[in-house]
Amino acid sequence: MSGELYVSNIQRMSLHDGPGIRTTVFLKGCSLHCPWCANPENMDVENQLWFDESRCVGSNERCIFIKGCGRMIARDRRGAVCMENDILKCPMHALKPVARMYDVGKLEQKINQDRHYWMNGGGVTFSGGEPLLQIVRLEPLLESLSRSGVDICFESAMFVPERLVRIALKYASRLYIDMKILDPEECLRYLGGDVKVYLRNMEIVASSGVPFIVRIPLIRPYTYQEQNICLMEKAMDRYCVPYVEIFSCHNLGDKKYAMLGKRSTHCCNVTEMELQALAERFASGGRTVRVLRLR
Amino acid sequence: MDLLLLMKNSRLNQYRRCLKKYRQKDIRMSGTSKRQAMLHSVARVKPVYSYPEKLGGKIKQIIRVLEKAKLNTELSYGFLYSIDETCIPHNKNRVIGNIPFDYSRVIDGSICQYREKCKKVRNAVSERNLTLLKAIEDYLDRICTQLENDKKLNECEKRAAIGRLKSMKESEAQTLEDAIQRILFWNQIFWQCGHTLNGLGRLDKLFARFPLTDTSGQSLSHFLEILHRYYNFKSSVILGDTGQIIILGGTGEDGTYFVNEYTYVIMECLKKLKLPDPKILLRVSRNMPDKLLRLAADYIAEGTGSPLLSNDDVVIPALKEFGYLDSDACNYGVSACWEPLSIGNSLEQNNLTGVEFGQVLVSMIDDGRFKECKTFEDVLKLYLEKLDGHIKSILSHLDGIVWEQAPLFTLFWQDCLEKGLDITEGGAKYNNYGILSAGISSAVDSLLNIRHYVFEQKLLDLDGLCDILHKNYEGASEFQQLFIQRSDGFGSGSDEAIDLTVRIMDETQKRISSYRNRFGGRVKFGLSSQGYVTSGKKTGATADGRKNGDPFATHISRSDNGSPIEIMRFAGKLCYAGGRANGNVVDVMLQSSLVKEEKDRFLDYLKASIQAGFFQAQFNVLSYQQLVDAKAHPDRYPNLIVRVWGFSAYFRDVPEEYQDVLIRRAKECEGI
């Protein structure tokens, strides 16, 4: 498996994950399990099957294309671990593995197709899941991109061992760091993460000199509550965070949860007015704040 | 028979309806004997080439038009522009049009100089030119006399206008306003004499020698507004299809990019005017200034569909390979929409008919041998055999076209004078034809589906496929969905789709490469066409999930919500050299969030796409909800402009089937 990566998506012409036009590579596997996650397919490290009911053309529980693939079977198999050669060859791509295995060379070839578009600061962003979990296998690609002068960014939650962060810092021109729940108990309960690890990594990033932007998903009642906001402000002060991006999640991953056979957690949206008010509050600390509008 | 038609309004409307029907049918190349018999009955008559008698009739007709056309001497912003829509010549044969007149001849020269030039040559064309110049001078005098006698006009304005008009006789233009009046004058003559889709050429280059003053912007703005007059009369098949295209910018022979203040000012003026017509084609290159491309990006963001971008880095080499001299290839303009040609010296009738790639596919499926194919290569062989037959019938159709003489073009085409031949008889330096095409994406996707689902995955056999298509997917919606859902077809980054498209283009090129028309000219084709709706209407179901009568994809475009990078990469991988250079437009739908909120990134996107090597590109920036609402309540959106095939038009004027295509594509683009 060495040098092979599970990639769930390659988004071409991404506009929100760094400067210029970017190619964003979504890597599978995460160290957290945020209840509001918009990319639940990237939580598990193992590859899974997902079933898109809207694509399935089977009738009377039978598939007209694949013998033995009834809709019931397909439904049952969603979310199951996808083994090697264990893919039902659904021509409609209704049942398919979440991620595709790439060796580093092939991934480089694939993303290099967009090279023309990486002008004026554009480049490649690695996201996920938690992209740093696969960074050791990713390193030859980072090395190669870096040699060719390609701008590299990471979007990370920073709940990973310190050594992985240090590898990322070797190559990154910029980091997007999520800031979620900073109360140790709640962080562990809701996200499964150790805040100490997060704060230590923030310390490393802040002292590295690599520019970073803090991204805050605002979800009531998890991240959007007064106590957590105060903790965030303190942390941002401590690490001298210059740039902050905030956004409301809008249950973006609902369809994906259904495809994985998982139940999504309904989160209450933060209103536009609340977003603006918080933006002003964060900005009053001398930070540049941007409100992202995700569609 | 005297051929002049002086019509009352009711008859004129009837005539225009017939004319539109005629043209509509004419672009739907079909080779049906009935239509050809109707439209080109004279095609079977051997043309007579003896000069005096032959040209006499046409000249007389033009003289009478110029004598009889009523003049409206009301000055618009000090300029005169008058077309009598009720007095146009009747033509028996196909009329030369769809080419820009080279206005440098009248801006940088005078009628007198031209007369002297003609006198130096003694042949039938020079004789005829002298007669025509006399008629034009008389027409000019009539205008000036009528202006003199018009007491309602502002005296100062009147004097200036008469001065500008009279100066045309003796001297070259001295000011920008002189040049504008000359363009308007000659432009009105071309429209008046029955030529249509009259392009305006490289205006920034034409105006280059006139210093830009404080009032130049205003003069140009007025000029563009005036050209927008007679919008209905000038429109061809659909309102907006006037062919009034302005070419700006462009790479020269030495590789440097030509741009001047006029390039910016003209684009700024049109951006402010928010009119669908005239429209701009901006020649782009990796050498062009960022500032100009940024202005183009801002203009695209306005959502009027203008400018269309034409990539000199790809187009010029392709034109050279086709046979244009370096200087002419670098000075290229286009026909009414996008078909490249050399300005001022070519016959280049570039929109004569179309290769129906989709229809060829249906004829392959209808062939009894289709079901017997054992491999995908057998299927492809049969497709190419059918394509061969189709192209042969197109080429024989081209041979049957009889042209109406065109003394006005002949007058200013230097080679016509030297050869003593009318432009319609091979007098021009270049005498090539051009054809368009429709349905390439359906053909490619259908063939890929046959390869995958019939021969590789064996989900159905050819017999079953024929049955499904003949029943128009009735009772087989699963297969329709199966065929539609593929994301690695035409317009994607898939090498398989690119290779097949390149192969079909190559095979088409091979089949037309040996063709020579009766003037020795060649023919080129391209992957753009206004026929994506009309051709689709008469084509049965195809194996890409398209039902009988549904439109084909617009030019080079994707039907799903793919990345705008992917379609550009696809277009950059195709080969356009030689006979494939007759316009290849990538038609991109963009979300307004990209072009309006991310301007720097949009600029990067355009720059990178130029480097990726698209041939030409146009953009629609539309909102699905707005289009749906505009269709239901046209009165609420009187000024909503959209890009249709190669022109912009008011959405309310666009036929329903074209509205529906735009609505569907906007929906897909927004991922709704």
Side-chain angles (χ1 to χ4, degrees), chain B residues 1-8 11-12 14-16 18-19 61-62 64-65 68-70 84-92 192:
Chain B
M1 182 180 83
D2 196 297
L3 300 171
L4 178 62
L5 284 188
L6 294 166
M7 290 173 286
K8 287 186 181 166
R11 222 179 124 208
L12 175 74
Q14 194 186 353
Y15 172 75
R16 288 195 63 79
C18 290
L19 195 68
Q61 193 189 24
I62 290 176
R64 287 212 59 199
V65 168
K68 297 283 176 188
K70 282 185 192 149
D84 181 355
E85 296 163 279
T86 63
C87 178
I88 50 174
H90 167 73
N91 296 300
K92 280 196 296 184
Q192 192 68 72

Side-chain angles (χ1 to χ4, degrees), chain A residues 15 18 20 55 91 116-117 120, chain B residues 479 482 485 568 601 604 608-609:
Chain A
L15 305 177
R55 278 179 168 267
H116 283 304
Y117 292 84
N120 294 331
Chain B
F479 280 98
L482 176 73
Q485 56 91 36
M568 286 299 189
R601 286 177 167 123
D604 287 351
S609 298

